[in-house]
């Protein structure tokens, strides 16, 4: 992150009528003058290719229309390749009305229809076709991906593989933890074999009470998970004695940074939609609930993944930041404030105690306003920030939710590559 310069948030609007624009490749080479900007994206979205309710072009168009910079279609255990025909029926997931909406948006001849054994079918567009339709240099890019969906006994183990354009079969280990690790290792191995930066994030750990903080803590090689998932059945919040996702994050951070669990590094958190429902305004899992803001010099998928791997991103359900930065002495948050809205920033962390005591996460400082700085005291194990807006979320996970943002944890005295000073432009 830039320590000597506050960066303006630049959200580059996407075309509102995709069908009318000229296909181009969205990748662009970084120039020496290119400065990183915040790019808005969602890494967890489903379509008719798996268990979503919309054709892929309909799902993608929502994100383009709402000024996202990148999107991952993360259908279960597949990448959108090959030929796939989907039944059209009044009581099915693909109704005649949805086909008509596709024709209205993308042209009368766009939908390919054939007569199947049980009635009409529509062909689902492949990933390469979708990229031709939607990718725009400096505006929007589809990043290939897959939700690698496995399990161990009753535990659901779902891991999103980002920047992977081949289907990776789900693996099952001899325990919950080995199942997690085997799939993380397989995703990393694919990236190595294909000389491509990839990223794997563990999805909705509280879904069906599948995983615990110790499962997060013990991950090796990868350090990404969903602290906020917009699907209403995943239980982001505390339920009874079961910790919330934020509480699990802190427990896992302490176990890794104090107890030496896993590979000992910090855990980075994402917010995602996990969108399945693309037509209703207040359904179980709709677009627009959670996303990430990644600081990248280009829209190239490799650059976006590299920035995420450095921790140069934050999670959001509505709050946007102008800058988040840290050095050896302090951490500072600058908020892109909405008119008439107030903000509260809580710096959360754990402090080192004597060797017989396990640190406990707590709020270290609370600051109201559009900017907040926390001065390190020297005994913090880590510090992260949570920003809460006074404005309600317009498409909430739960009724009464406010817009929020979560920054990645900083280890005082340890400067990440993302925080290192950059040469002046």
């Amino acid at each position: 992150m830039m320590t000597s310069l506050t960066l303006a948030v630049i959200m580059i609007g996407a075309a509102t009528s995709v069908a009318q624009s000229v296909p181009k490749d969205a990748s662009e080479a970084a120039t020496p003058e290119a400065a990183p900007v915040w790019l808005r994206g969602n890494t967890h979205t489903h379509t008719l290719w798996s268990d979503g309710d919309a054709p892929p072009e309909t799902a993608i168009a929502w994100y383009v229309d709402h000024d996202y910079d990148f999107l991952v279609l993360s259908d279960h255990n597949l990448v959108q390749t090959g030929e796939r025909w989907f039944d059209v029926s009044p009581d099915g997931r693909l109704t005649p009305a949805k086909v008509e909406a596709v024709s209205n948006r993308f042209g009368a001849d766009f939908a390919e229809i054939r007569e199947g054994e049980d009635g009409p079918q529509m062909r689902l567009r492949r990933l390469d076709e979708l990229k031709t339709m939607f990718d725009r240099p400096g505006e929007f890019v589809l990043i290939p991906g897959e939700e690698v969906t496995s399990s161990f006994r009753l535990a659901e183990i779902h891991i999103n593989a980002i920047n992977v354009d081949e289907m990776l079969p789900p693996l099952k280990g001899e325990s919950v933890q080995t199942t997690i690790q085997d799939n993380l290792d397989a995703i990393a191995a694919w990236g190595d074999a294909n000389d491509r930066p990839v990223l794997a994030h563990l999805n909705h750990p509280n879904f069906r009470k599948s995983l615990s903080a110790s499962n997060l803590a013990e991950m090796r090689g990868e350090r990404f998970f969903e602290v906020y998932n917009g699907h209403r059945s995943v239980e982001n919040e505390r339920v009874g004695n079961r910790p919330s996702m934020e509480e699990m994050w802190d427990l896992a951070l302490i176990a890794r940074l104090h107890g030496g669990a896993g590979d000992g590094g910090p855990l980075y958190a994402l917010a995602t939609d996990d969108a399945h429902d693309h037509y209703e305004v207040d359904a179980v899992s709709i677009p627009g609930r959670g996303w990430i803001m990644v600081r990248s010099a280009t829209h190239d998928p490799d650059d976006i993944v590299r920035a995420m791997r450095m921790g140069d991103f934050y999670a959001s359900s509505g709050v946007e930041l102008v800058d988040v930065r840290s050095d050896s002495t302090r951490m500072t948050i600058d908020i892109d404030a909405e008119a008439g809205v107030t903000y509260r920033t809580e710096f959360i962390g754990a402090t080192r105690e004597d060797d017989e005591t396990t640190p406990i996460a707590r709020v270290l400082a609370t600051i109201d306003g559009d900017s907040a700085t926390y001065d390190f005291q020297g005994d913090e194990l880590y510090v992260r920030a949570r920003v809460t807006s006074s404005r309600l979320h317009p498409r909430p996970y739960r009724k009464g939710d406010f817009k929020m943002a979560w920054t990645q944890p900083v280890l005082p005295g340890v400067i990440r590559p993302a925080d290192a000073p950059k040469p002046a432009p």
Side-chain angles (χ1 to χ4, degrees):
M1 299 177 186
M2 301 291 286
T3 57
S4 60
L5 180 65
T6 298
L7 295 174
V9 173
I10 301 177
M11 295 299 294
I12 303 175
T16 58
S17 180
V18 176
Q20 300 302 317
S21 50
V22 179
K24 295 179 182 178
D25 183 355
S27 300
E28 71 253 39
T31 66
E33 296 79 22
V37 296
W38 291 116
L39 303 181
R40 183 185 188 190
N42 178 45
T43 62
H44 197 163
T45 309
H46 296 276
T47 74
L48 288 173
W49 275 93
S50 62
D51 58 347
D53 72 347
E57 59 273 5
T58 298
I60 298 165
W62 188 94
Y63 290 93
V64 171
D65 291 346
H66 289 81
D67 295 333
Y68 282 66
D69 293 281
F70 65 91
L71 176 69
V72 177
L73 296 184
S74 57
D75 284 307
H76 294 282
N77 293 338
L78 61 84
V79 175
Q80 301 79 16
T81 57
E83 187 171 279
R84 175 81 182 275
W85 293 83
F86 205 95
D87 291 340
V88 180
S89 64
D91 57 352
R93 281 194 287 152
L94 181 58
T95 64
K98 292 179 181 179
V99 175
E100 183 180 4
V102 166
S103 297
N104 290 339
R105 175 66 189 263
F106 300 101
D109 298 328
F110 178 84
E112 296 182 21
I113 305 295
R114 74 177 186 185
E115 194 64 28
E117 293 182 2
D118 299 319
Q121 297 177 320
M122 187 179 86
R123 187 175 71 84
L124 301 184
R125 286 302 200 273
R126 303 184 308 268
L127 178 66
D128 62 324
E129 296 173 300
L130 296 167
K131 286 184 68 64
T132 297
M133 288 175 63
F134 289 97
D135 281 8
R136 296 292 175 270
E139 294 182 2
F140 182 84
V141 64
L142 273 177
I143 301 178
E146 170 191 354
E147 184 167 16
V148 181
T149 307
S150 187
S151 62
F152 180 80
R153 296 178 181 169
L154 297 179
E156 297 287 343
I157 300 166
H158 299 190
I159 300 173
N160 271 16
I162 310 302
N163 211 21
V164 170
D165 59 10
E166 291 182 275
M167 183 269 188
L168 300 181
L171 304 177
K172 286 195 175 185
E174 298 179 350
S175 67
V176 169
Q177 199 64 45
T178 57
T179 300
I180 293 171
Q181 195 62 53
D182 288 351
N183 284 284
L184 292 178
D185 291 346
I187 295 167
W190 187 95
D192 290 341
N194 289 274
D195 194 26
R196 179 184 299 180
V198 300
L199 183 145
H201 64 75
L202 188 63
N203 295 343
H204 44 59
N206 264 350
F207 178 52
R208 296 180 180 170
K209 302 176 174 59
S210 293
L211 307 179
S212 66
S214 64
N215 295 128
L216 299 179
E218 291 294 340
M219 289 193 299
R220 296 176 179 272
E222 285 288 33
R223 55 187 62 192
F224 302 88
F225 81 104
E226 292 177 339
V227 70
Y228 176 100
N229 178 299
H231 197 301
R232 286 177 173 166
S233 70
V234 304
E235 298 184 353
N236 295 319
E237 69 278 17
R238 169 176 276 271
V239 178
N241 292 326
R242 186 170 182 81
S244 69
M245 284 313 311
E246 274 203 77
E247 291 174 301
M248 288 177 65
W249 189 9
D250 289 314
L251 290 169
L253 282 167
I254 291 168
R256 291 169 69 90
L257 300 173
H258 178 78
D263 55 17
L267 288 173
Y268 297 145
L270 294 85
T272 70
D273 282 335
D274 196 359
H276 293 69
D277 306 308
H278 297 276
Y279 295 92
E280 300 179 49
V281 174
D282 191 34
V284 172
S285 56
I286 61 174
R289 285 187 174 148
W291 56 88
I292 55 174
M293 300 292 290
V294 181
R295 190 148 44 189
S296 173
T298 79
H299 284 65
D300 185 274
D302 289 1
D303 288 341
I304 292 171
V305 169
R306 289 188 188 102
M308 292 181 67
R309 297 202 63 84
M310 290 194 300
D312 204 2
F313 71 102
Y314 66 89
S316 177
S317 66
V319 170
E320 294 186 2
L321 306 179
V322 176
D323 196 18
V324 53
R325 60 193 181 277
S326 61
D327 56 26
S328 60
T329 62
R330 63 181 58 88
M331 180 180 186
T332 299
I333 309 293
D334 295 321
I335 300 165
D336 187 14
E338 298 181 76
V341 178
T342 60
Y343 298 89
R344 170 162 293 180
T345 300
E346 297 167 284
F347 291 97
I348 300 165
T351 55
R352 296 176 180 85
E353 306 290 345
D354 60 71
D355 292 339
E356 304 300 321
T357 304
T358 300
I360 298 174
R362 60 186 177 87
V363 176
L364 303 173
T366 300
I367 299 173
D368 294 330
D370 300 347
S371 182
T373 296
Y374 176 80
D375 293 317
F376 300 138
Q377 303 302 301
D379 60 350
E380 299 92 349
L381 195 63
Y382 68 92
V383 179
R384 63 180 182 86
R386 176 177 63 211
V387 183
T388 304
S389 164
S390 63
R391 178 159 290 176
L392 289 171
H393 196 307
R395 303 166 71 87
Y397 166 81
R398 293 185 303 173
K399 185 177 180 179
D401 282 351
F402 293 94
K403 294 182 176 183
M404 301 180 70
W406 300 264
T407 73
Q408 306 308 332
V410 170
L411 282 54
V414 178
I415 302 300
R416 301 172 300 162
D419 287 322
K422 310 293 193 304

